[in-house]
Amino acid sequence: MQEPAATVPLGAQQAAEAVRQRWPWVEASVWTERMLSALETGIEGGKWFRLIDKVWSARNLLASWSRVSANGGAAGVDQVTVTMFERHLEANLGHLAEQLRTGHYRAQAVWRVYIPKAGGGGGGKAKAKASMRPLGIPTVRDRVVQTALRHVLEPIFERDFAEHSYGFRPGRGCKDALRRVDALLKDGYTYVVDADLKSYFDTIPHQKLMERVREKVADGRVLTLIETFLTQGVMDGLSEWTPEAGSPQGAVVSPLLSNIYLDPLDHLMARQGWEMVRYADDFVILCRSESQALAALEQVKQWTASAGLTLHPEKTRIVHATQGGFDFLGYHFKCGQKWPRDKSLMKFKETVRSKTKRRNGQSLARIIAEVNLTTKGWFEYFKHSNRFMFVRLDSWIRMRLRSILRRRQGKRGRGRGTDHQRWTNASFTALGLFSLTDARMRAARQSATTR
Protein backbone atom coordinates (compact mmCIF):
# COMPACT_ATOMS: atom_id res chain seq x y z
CA MET A 1 0.00 0.00 0.00
CA GLN A 2 1.41 3.37 -1.03
CA GLU A 3 2.02 5.81 1.81
CA PRO A 4 0.30 9.19 1.55
CA ALA A 5 2.51 12.09 0.46
CA ALA A 6 3.77 14.31 3.25
CA THR A 7 1.93 17.60 3.54
CA VAL A 8 2.89 20.93 5.10
CA PRO A 9 0.56 21.89 7.99
CA LEU A 10 -1.81 24.72 7.11
CA GLY A 11 -0.50 26.89 9.94
CA ALA A 12 3.06 26.57 8.68
CA GLN A 13 1.97 27.45 5.14
CA GLN A 14 0.18 30.57 6.37
CA ALA A 15 3.17 31.63 8.47
CA ALA A 16 5.48 31.18 5.47
CA GLU A 17 3.17 33.24 3.26
CA ALA A 18 2.96 35.97 5.89
CA VAL A 19 6.73 36.34 6.23
CA ARG A 20 7.09 36.42 2.44
CA GLN A 21 4.47 39.19 2.23
CA ARG A 22 6.47 41.27 4.70
CA TRP A 23 9.51 40.99 2.42
CA PRO A 24 8.02 41.12 -1.07
CA TRP A 25 11.08 42.69 -2.70
CA VAL A 26 13.75 40.16 -1.65
CA GLU A 27 15.19 37.74 -4.19
CA ALA A 28 13.22 34.52 -3.64
CA SER A 29 15.99 32.35 -5.08
CA VAL A 30 18.19 33.47 -2.15
CA TRP A 31 15.90 34.24 0.76
CA THR A 32 13.77 31.29 1.78
CA GLU A 33 10.94 31.62 4.32
CA ARG A 34 13.22 30.02 6.91
CA MET A 35 15.97 32.59 6.31
CA LEU A 36 13.46 35.45 6.41
CA SER A 37 12.09 34.19 9.73
CA ALA A 38 15.65 34.11 11.09
CA LEU A 39 16.19 37.63 9.73
CA GLU A 40 13.13 38.92 11.57
CA THR A 41 13.78 37.21 14.91
CA GLY A 42 17.51 37.74 14.84
CA ILE A 43 20.30 35.20 14.57
CA GLU A 44 22.65 34.11 17.31
CA GLY A 45 25.53 36.53 17.66
CA GLY A 46 23.91 38.90 15.19
CA LYS A 47 26.24 37.85 12.35
CA TRP A 48 25.56 35.86 9.19
CA PHE A 49 27.87 33.01 8.16
CA ARG A 50 27.93 30.79 5.06
CA LEU A 51 26.63 33.29 2.52
CA ILE A 52 29.01 32.81 -0.40
CA ASP A 53 27.16 29.74 -1.70
CA LYS A 54 24.04 31.87 -2.01
CA VAL A 55 25.96 34.41 -4.09
CA TRP A 56 27.15 31.86 -6.67
CA SER A 57 24.00 29.72 -6.76
CA ALA A 58 22.76 29.17 -10.31
CA ARG A 59 19.30 30.57 -9.53
CA ASN A 60 20.70 33.75 -8.01
CA LEU A 61 23.10 34.37 -10.89
CA LEU A 62 20.29 33.84 -13.40
CA ALA A 63 18.01 36.24 -11.51
CA SER A 64 20.87 38.74 -11.33
CA TRP A 65 21.45 38.44 -15.06
CA SER A 66 17.76 39.19 -15.67
CA ARG A 67 18.08 42.46 -13.75
CA VAL A 68 21.30 43.46 -15.51
CA SER A 69 19.76 42.65 -18.89
CA ALA A 70 16.63 44.68 -18.12
CA ASN A 71 18.71 47.69 -17.08
CA GLY A 72 20.83 47.55 -20.23
CA GLY A 73 23.75 49.93 -20.13
CA ALA A 74 27.06 50.23 -21.93
CA ALA A 75 29.83 47.67 -22.17
CA GLY A 76 32.76 47.87 -19.76
CA VAL A 77 36.49 47.76 -20.40
CA ASP A 78 36.24 44.30 -22.00
CA GLN A 79 33.83 45.71 -24.63
CA VAL A 80 31.36 42.87 -23.97
CA THR A 81 27.81 44.16 -24.35
CA VAL A 82 24.68 42.74 -22.72
CA THR A 83 23.72 41.20 -26.07
CA MET A 84 27.13 39.58 -26.48
CA PHE A 85 27.05 38.16 -22.95
CA GLU A 86 23.61 36.67 -23.60
CA ARG A 87 24.78 34.76 -26.67
CA HIS A 88 26.68 32.36 -24.40
CA LEU A 89 24.60 32.95 -21.27
CA GLU A 90 24.67 29.45 -19.80
CA ALA A 91 28.43 29.13 -20.25
CA ASN A 92 29.10 32.64 -18.94
CA LEU A 93 27.00 32.18 -15.80
CA GLY A 94 28.48 28.73 -15.25
CA HIS A 95 31.99 30.17 -15.49
CA LEU A 96 31.16 32.91 -12.98
CA ALA A 97 29.68 30.36 -10.56
CA GLU A 98 32.79 28.21 -10.78
CA GLN A 99 35.12 31.17 -10.23
CA LEU A 100 33.13 32.33 -7.21
CA ARG A 101 32.90 28.81 -5.78
CA THR A 102 36.63 28.17 -6.07
CA GLY A 103 37.72 31.67 -5.03
CA HIS A 104 39.27 32.49 -8.42
CA TYR A 105 36.89 35.31 -9.35
CA ARG A 106 38.64 38.62 -10.06
CA ALA A 107 36.81 41.84 -10.84
CA GLN A 108 37.85 43.69 -13.97
CA ALA A 109 38.62 47.40 -14.05
CA VAL A 110 35.81 49.94 -14.03
CA TRP A 111 35.64 52.17 -17.08
CA ARG A 112 35.37 55.79 -15.93
CA VAL A 113 33.36 58.23 -18.03
CA TYR A 114 32.27 61.78 -17.31
CA ILE A 115 28.72 63.03 -17.60
CA PRO A 116 27.40 66.60 -17.27
CA LYS A 117 26.15 67.78 -13.91
CA ALA A 118 22.68 69.34 -13.80
CA GLY A 119 22.92 72.91 -15.04
CA GLY A 120 26.56 72.58 -16.07
CA GLY A 121 28.21 73.86 -19.22
CA GLY A 122 29.74 77.06 -20.43
CA GLY A 123 32.46 79.18 -18.86
CA GLY A 124 35.58 77.82 -20.54
CA LYS A 125 37.55 74.60 -20.24
CA ALA A 126 38.14 74.80 -16.49
CA LYS A 127 34.47 75.29 -15.70
CA ALA A 128 33.45 72.69 -18.28
CA LYS A 129 35.62 70.11 -16.51
CA ALA A 130 34.24 71.10 -13.10
CA SER A 131 30.69 70.72 -14.44
CA MET A 132 31.24 67.01 -15.19
CA ARG A 133 30.94 64.20 -12.69
CA PRO A 134 32.61 60.79 -12.92
CA LEU A 135 30.61 57.62 -13.46
CA GLY A 136 32.02 54.11 -13.32
CA ILE A 137 30.86 51.44 -15.77
CA PRO A 138 31.66 47.90 -14.58
CA THR A 139 31.76 45.05 -17.08
CA VAL A 140 28.57 43.06 -17.62
CA ARG A 141 30.02 40.04 -15.82
CA ASP A 142 30.89 42.18 -12.79
CA ARG A 143 27.44 43.76 -12.80
CA VAL A 144 25.92 40.27 -12.62
CA VAL A 145 28.11 39.30 -9.66
CA GLN A 146 27.48 42.60 -7.86
CA THR A 147 23.75 42.15 -8.29
CA ALA A 148 23.97 38.61 -6.89
CA LEU A 149 25.95 39.96 -3.94
CA ARG A 150 23.38 42.68 -3.33
CA HIS A 151 20.57 40.10 -3.40
CA VAL A 152 22.28 38.37 -0.48
CA LEU A 153 23.36 41.38 1.58
CA GLU A 154 20.57 43.92 1.19
CA PRO A 155 17.94 42.31 3.49
CA ILE A 156 20.52 41.81 6.25
CA PHE A 157 21.19 45.54 6.48
CA GLU A 158 17.79 46.81 5.35
CA ARG A 159 16.25 45.20 8.45
CA ASP A 160 17.83 47.83 10.72
CA PHE A 161 18.17 50.89 8.51
CA ALA A 162 16.73 54.07 10.01
CA GLU A 163 13.21 55.20 9.16
CA HIS A 164 14.30 58.60 7.83
CA SER A 165 16.66 57.16 5.20
CA TYR A 166 15.02 57.05 1.76
CA GLY A 167 17.69 56.70 -0.92
CA PHE A 168 18.23 53.43 -2.80
CA ARG A 169 15.93 51.48 -0.52
CA PRO A 170 13.13 49.07 -1.49
CA GLY A 171 9.69 50.67 -1.55
CA ARG A 172 11.06 54.17 -0.91
CA GLY A 173 12.02 57.05 -3.12
CA CYS A 174 12.51 60.78 -3.59
CA LYS A 175 8.82 61.59 -3.26
CA ASP A 176 8.62 59.91 0.15
CA ALA A 177 11.52 62.04 1.37
CA LEU A 178 9.95 65.19 -0.08
CA ARG A 179 6.62 64.44 1.60
CA ARG A 180 8.41 64.04 4.94
CA VAL A 181 10.14 67.41 4.52
CA ASP A 182 6.79 69.03 3.63
CA ALA A 183 5.14 67.57 6.73
CA LEU A 184 7.92 68.74 9.05
CA LEU A 185 7.90 72.27 7.63
CA LYS A 186 4.14 72.50 8.13
CA ASP A 187 4.62 71.28 11.71
CA GLY A 188 6.93 74.18 12.52
CA TYR A 189 10.36 72.70 11.86
CA THR A 190 11.56 75.73 9.94
CA TYR A 191 15.22 75.96 10.96
CA VAL A 192 17.09 73.72 8.54
CA VAL A 193 20.60 72.27 8.61
CA ASP A 194 21.36 72.07 4.89
CA ALA A 195 24.35 69.71 4.80
CA ASP A 196 26.63 68.76 1.94
CA LEU A 197 29.13 65.89 2.14
CA LYS A 198 32.10 66.73 -0.06
CA SER A 199 32.74 64.00 -2.69
CA TYR A 200 31.08 61.41 -0.45
CA PHE A 201 31.15 58.40 -2.78
CA ASP A 202 34.83 59.00 -3.59
CA THR A 203 35.98 59.43 0.02
CA ILE A 204 34.36 56.60 2.02
CA PRO A 205 37.25 55.02 3.98
CA HIS A 206 37.51 51.36 3.00
CA GLN A 207 38.68 50.08 6.38
CA LYS A 208 35.92 51.82 8.34
CA LEU A 209 33.31 50.71 5.79
CA MET A 210 34.40 47.09 6.09
CA GLU A 211 34.18 47.38 9.88
CA ARG A 212 30.51 48.33 9.46
CA VAL A 213 29.91 45.37 7.15
CA ARG A 214 31.66 42.96 9.55
CA GLU A 215 29.20 43.91 12.28
CA LYS A 216 26.63 41.70 10.51
CA VAL A 217 28.56 39.56 8.01
CA ALA A 218 31.14 36.97 9.09
CA ASP A 219 31.61 35.06 5.83
CA GLY A 220 35.23 35.77 4.95
CA ARG A 221 34.78 35.06 1.25
CA VAL A 222 31.87 37.47 0.98
CA LEU A 223 33.93 40.12 2.80
CA THR A 224 36.79 39.51 0.37
CA LEU A 225 34.40 39.86 -2.55
CA ILE A 226 33.23 43.25 -1.27
CA GLU A 227 36.83 44.39 -0.87
CA THR A 228 37.51 43.22 -4.42
CA PHE A 229 34.87 45.61 -5.75
CA LEU A 230 36.09 48.48 -3.56
CA THR A 231 39.65 48.16 -4.84
CA GLN A 232 39.09 47.11 -8.45
CA GLY A 233 41.06 49.20 -10.91
CA VAL A 234 39.69 52.31 -12.60
CA MET A 235 40.39 52.84 -16.30
CA ASP A 236 40.40 56.58 -16.99
CA GLY A 237 41.36 57.23 -20.59
CA LEU A 238 44.65 55.39 -21.16
CA SER A 239 45.62 55.27 -17.49
CA GLU A 240 44.58 52.74 -14.84
CA TRP A 241 44.76 53.25 -11.09
CA THR A 242 43.56 51.57 -7.90
CA PRO A 243 41.34 53.60 -5.56
CA GLU A 244 42.38 53.82 -1.90
CA ALA A 245 38.98 55.12 -0.76
CA GLY A 246 35.43 55.43 -2.00
CA SER A 247 32.87 53.26 -3.73
CA PRO A 248 32.51 53.94 -7.48
CA GLN A 249 29.30 55.61 -8.59
CA GLY A 250 27.72 53.33 -11.16
CA ALA A 251 28.61 50.11 -9.34
CA VAL A 252 25.57 48.00 -8.39
CA VAL A 253 26.65 47.56 -4.77
CA SER A 254 27.69 51.20 -4.17
CA PRO A 255 24.26 52.50 -3.09
CA LEU A 256 23.93 49.76 -0.48
CA LEU A 257 27.46 50.28 0.81
CA SER A 258 26.91 54.04 0.99
CA ASN A 259 23.80 53.53 3.11
CA ILE A 260 25.63 51.08 5.37
CA TYR A 261 28.33 53.66 6.06
CA LEU A 262 25.93 56.50 6.89
CA ASP A 263 23.54 54.34 8.93
CA PRO A 264 25.25 55.12 12.28
CA LEU A 265 24.74 58.84 11.60
CA ASP A 266 21.05 58.17 10.91
CA HIS A 267 20.62 56.41 14.25
CA LEU A 268 22.64 59.04 16.12
CA MET A 269 20.34 61.78 14.85
CA ALA A 270 17.27 59.70 15.76
CA ARG A 271 18.53 59.06 19.31
CA GLN A 272 19.12 62.79 19.80
CA GLY A 273 15.60 63.58 18.57
CA TRP A 274 16.70 65.50 15.48
CA GLU A 275 14.36 65.28 12.45
CA MET A 276 16.75 64.24 9.72
CA VAL A 277 15.67 63.34 6.17
CA ARG A 278 18.35 61.63 4.10
CA TYR A 279 18.47 60.47 0.48
CA ALA A 280 21.87 58.84 -0.15
CA ASP A 281 24.46 61.55 0.63
CA ASP A 282 21.93 64.38 0.40
CA PHE A 283 20.32 65.21 3.75
CA VAL A 284 18.67 67.96 5.75
CA ILE A 285 17.91 68.23 9.48
CA LEU A 286 14.78 70.19 10.37
CA CYS A 287 14.52 71.88 13.79
CA ARG A 288 12.13 74.14 15.68
CA SER A 289 14.75 76.67 16.77
CA GLU A 290 18.11 78.04 15.71
CA SER A 291 19.76 76.70 18.86
CA GLN A 292 18.58 73.20 18.05
CA ALA A 293 19.89 73.54 14.50
CA LEU A 294 23.29 74.69 15.78
CA ALA A 295 23.47 71.72 18.16
CA ALA A 296 22.48 69.27 15.42
CA LEU A 297 25.07 70.70 13.02
CA GLU A 298 27.80 70.42 15.66
CA GLN A 299 26.97 66.74 16.15
CA VAL A 300 27.07 66.13 12.42
CA LYS A 301 30.47 67.86 12.22
CA GLN A 302 31.87 65.67 15.01
CA TRP A 303 30.50 62.46 13.49
CA THR A 304 31.69 63.15 9.94
CA ALA A 305 35.18 64.05 11.19
CA SER A 306 35.42 60.78 13.13
CA ALA A 307 34.11 58.87 10.08
CA GLY A 308 36.76 60.30 7.77
CA LEU A 309 34.26 62.39 5.80
CA THR A 310 34.19 66.13 5.06
CA LEU A 311 31.33 68.60 5.19
CA HIS A 312 31.58 71.15 2.38
CA PRO A 313 32.45 74.39 4.23
CA GLU A 314 30.64 76.67 1.78
CA LYS A 315 27.58 74.52 1.02
CA THR A 316 26.78 73.40 4.59
CA ARG A 317 24.70 76.01 6.40
CA ILE A 318 21.72 76.74 8.64
CA VAL A 319 18.79 78.48 6.95
CA HIS A 320 15.29 79.53 7.87
CA ALA A 321 12.69 78.07 5.53
CA THR A 322 10.72 81.33 5.42
CA GLN A 323 13.74 83.47 4.54
CA GLY A 324 16.66 82.12 2.53
CA GLY A 325 15.07 78.79 1.70
CA PHE A 326 16.98 75.61 0.81
CA ASP A 327 17.36 73.03 -1.96
CA PHE A 328 16.63 69.32 -1.55
CA LEU A 329 16.24 66.59 -4.17
CA GLY A 330 15.80 69.00 -7.06
CA TYR A 331 13.28 71.28 -5.30
CA HIS A 332 13.71 74.70 -3.69
CA PHE A 333 11.72 75.14 -0.46
CA LYS A 334 10.74 78.59 0.79
CA CYS A 335 7.82 80.16 2.64
CA GLY A 336 5.70 77.02 2.65
CA GLN A 337 6.01 76.53 -1.10
CA LYS A 338 8.37 74.64 -3.36
CA TRP A 339 9.45 74.77 -6.96
CA PRO A 340 12.32 73.35 -9.05
CA ARG A 341 15.70 74.60 -7.95
CA ASP A 342 17.65 76.70 -10.44
CA LYS A 343 19.81 73.79 -11.64
CA SER A 344 16.76 71.58 -12.21
CA LEU A 345 15.05 74.31 -14.19
CA MET A 346 18.19 75.01 -16.19
CA LYS A 347 18.61 71.36 -17.11
CA PHE A 348 14.97 71.15 -18.20
CA LYS A 349 15.33 74.23 -20.42
CA GLU A 350 18.56 72.93 -21.93
CA THR A 351 16.78 69.74 -22.96
CA VAL A 352 13.82 71.62 -24.47
CA ARG A 353 16.17 74.01 -26.29
CA SER A 354 17.96 71.07 -27.90
CA LYS A 355 14.63 69.86 -29.30
CA THR A 356 13.35 73.27 -30.45
CA LYS A 357 16.23 74.78 -32.38
CA ARG A 358 15.02 77.17 -35.07
CA ARG A 359 16.75 75.17 -37.78
CA ASN A 360 14.91 71.98 -36.76
CA GLY A 361 13.63 70.52 -40.04
CA GLN A 362 11.11 68.07 -38.57
CA SER A 363 7.38 68.64 -38.81
CA LEU A 364 5.89 70.72 -36.00
CA ALA A 365 3.84 67.73 -34.86
CA ARG A 366 7.02 65.65 -34.56
CA ILE A 367 8.83 68.41 -32.65
CA ILE A 368 5.90 68.70 -30.25
CA ALA A 369 5.90 64.94 -29.70
CA GLU A 370 9.60 65.08 -28.79
CA VAL A 371 9.05 68.02 -26.44
CA ASN A 372 6.17 66.16 -24.77
CA LEU A 373 8.50 63.30 -23.89
CA THR A 374 10.52 65.77 -21.83
CA THR A 375 7.70 67.80 -20.30
CA LYS A 376 5.56 64.82 -19.23
CA GLY A 377 8.42 63.09 -17.45
CA TRP A 378 9.60 66.33 -15.85
CA PHE A 379 6.10 67.23 -14.69
CA GLU A 380 5.60 63.86 -13.02
CA TYR A 381 8.40 64.70 -10.60
CA PHE A 382 7.82 68.45 -10.20
CA LYS A 383 4.00 68.53 -10.32
CA HIS A 384 3.78 69.69 -6.70
CA SER A 385 5.52 72.97 -7.50
CA ASN A 386 4.01 76.43 -7.30
CA ARG A 387 1.43 76.60 -10.12
CA PHE A 388 2.57 79.99 -11.47
CA MET A 389 5.87 78.47 -12.59
CA PHE A 390 4.04 76.15 -15.00
CA VAL A 391 2.27 79.10 -16.63
CA ARG A 392 5.62 80.75 -17.36
CA LEU A 393 7.16 77.54 -18.70
CA ASP A 394 4.21 76.84 -21.01
CA SER A 395 4.55 80.36 -22.41
CA TRP A 396 8.30 79.90 -22.91
CA ILE A 397 7.85 76.59 -24.75
CA ARG A 398 5.23 78.09 -27.10
CA MET A 399 7.62 80.98 -27.75
CA ARG A 400 10.27 78.45 -28.84
CA LEU A 401 7.79 76.81 -31.22
CA ARG A 402 6.66 80.15 -32.67
CA SER A 403 10.32 81.05 -33.30
CA ILE A 404 10.67 77.90 -35.43
CA LEU A 405 7.59 78.87 -37.43
CA ARG A 406 8.86 82.45 -37.87
CA ARG A 407 12.10 81.18 -39.36
CA ARG A 408 10.20 78.96 -41.79
CA GLN A 409 8.51 82.11 -43.07
CA GLY A 410 11.87 83.82 -43.53
CA LYS A 411 11.60 85.97 -40.39
CA ARG A 412 14.20 86.46 -37.70
CA GLY A 413 14.00 86.57 -33.95
CA ARG A 414 11.75 85.03 -31.35
CA GLY A 415 8.03 84.47 -31.58
CA ARG A 416 6.38 87.68 -30.38
CA GLY A 417 3.69 90.29 -31.02
CA THR A 418 1.21 89.25 -33.69
CA ASP A 419 2.72 85.74 -33.75
CA HIS A 420 0.38 84.98 -30.86
CA GLN A 421 -2.60 85.61 -33.14
CA ARG A 422 -1.03 83.84 -36.13
CA TRP A 423 -0.17 80.72 -34.10
CA THR A 424 -2.53 80.65 -31.15
CA ASN A 425 -2.24 78.64 -27.99
CA ALA A 426 -5.21 76.59 -29.16
CA SER A 427 -3.39 75.65 -32.37
CA PHE A 428 -0.56 74.10 -30.38
CA THR A 429 -3.06 72.30 -28.18
CA ALA A 430 -4.69 70.89 -31.30
CA LEU A 431 -1.30 69.48 -32.33
CA GLY A 432 -1.08 67.71 -28.97
CA LEU A 433 1.28 70.01 -27.05
CA PHE A 434 1.32 68.92 -23.41
CA SER A 435 0.24 71.75 -21.11
CA LEU A 436 2.04 71.89 -17.78
CA THR A 437 -0.57 74.33 -16.46
CA ASP A 438 -3.53 72.10 -17.32
CA ALA A 439 -1.74 69.05 -15.94
CA ARG A 440 -1.08 70.93 -12.69
CA MET A 441 -4.76 71.83 -12.37
CA ARG A 442 -5.82 68.21 -12.96
CA ALA A 443 -3.32 66.98 -10.38
CA ALA A 444 -4.58 69.53 -7.83
CA ARG A 445 -8.21 68.47 -8.37
CA GLN A 446 -7.32 64.81 -8.05
CA SER A 447 -5.40 65.49 -4.85
CA ALA A 448 -8.35 67.39 -3.38
CA THR A 449 -10.83 64.57 -4.11
CA THR A 450 -8.61 61.89 -2.52
CA ARG A 451 -8.08 63.69 0.78
Side-chain angles (χ1 to χ4, degrees), residues 135-357:
L135 180 67
I137 303 178
T139 60
V140 174
R141 67 187 289 274
D142 288 345
R143 299 206 292 266
V144 171
V145 176
Q146 288 192 24
T147 304
L149 179 62
R150 193 191 72 196
H151 284 166
V152 173
L153 294 179
E154 191 167 33
I156 295 173
F157 292 94
E158 177 64 30
R159 173 185 183 269
D160 298 317
F161 278 160
E163 181 65 25
H164 58 251
S165 166
Y166 295 91
F168 308 117
R169 295 184 59 190
R172 291 165 170 252
C174 291
K175 292 185 179 180
D176 300 301
L178 292 167
R179 277 191 286 267
R180 181 59 181 159
V181 170
D182 271 333
L184 289 168
L185 290 172
K186 290 175 182 176
D187 202 26
Y189 291 81
T190 52
Y191 286 88
V192 182
V193 178
D194 184 7
D196 186 280
L197 289 172
K198 190 174 182 180
S199 302
Y200 171 62
F201 280 88
D202 292 331
T203 58
I204 302 174
H206 288 169
Q207 182 178 348
K208 290 179 179 291
L209 171 59
M210 292 307 300
E211 289 173 2
R212 303 262 197 274
V213 176
R214 288 189 184 96
E215 292 173 2
K216 295 188 178 183
V217 175
D219 187 319
R221 291 174 63 183
V222 167
L223 294 171
T224 299
L225 187 58
I226 297 171
E227 290 175 329
T228 295
F229 288 124
L230 289 175
T231 58
Q232 66 190 120
V234 176
M235 185 70 72
D236 193 345
L238 297 178
S239 63
E240 182 176 351
W241 53 277
T242 301
E244 297 181 357
S247 185
Q249 296 188 60
V252 178
V253 293
S254 284
L256 174 61
L257 295 176
S258 71
N259 275 333
I260 290 172
Y261 198 65
L262 288 180
D263 188 54
L265 174 62
D266 294 340
H267 288 286
L268 172 63
M269 294 294 102
R271 286 195 303 272
Q272 297 298 322
W274 308 128
E275 293 290 353
M276 177 176 173
V277 182
R278 181 174 71 82
Y279 191 97
D281 59 332
D282 194 0
F283 65 90
V284 290
I285 305 169
L286 295 95
C287 306
R288 291 189 182 276
S289 68
E290 185 176 15
S291 61
Q292 289 179 346
L294 287 167
L297 178 56
E298 183 58 31
Q299 282 201 324
V300 172
K301 287 180 177 179
Q302 292 176 9
W303 187 90
T304 52
S306 67
L309 302 175
T310 304
L311 285 173
H312 200 296
E314 297 176 0
K315 296 181 180 179
T316 299
R317 60 200 180 113
I318 293 174
V319 298
H320 196 281
T322 61
Q323 297 173 13
F326 63 98
D327 294 340
F328 186 59
L329 297 182
Y331 274 95
H332 182 75
F333 291 80
K334 186 176 180 181
C335 298
Q337 307 233 6
K338 63 179 181 289
W339 55 86
R341 67 173 185 163
D342 290 344
K343 286 185 178 179
S344 301
L345 199 57
M346 192 180 304
K347 185 177 180 181
F348 170 76
K349 285 190 169 184
E350 285 174 358
T351 304
V352 173
R353 283 191 185 99
S354 70
K355 296 182 176 183
T356 56
K357 294 179 179 179

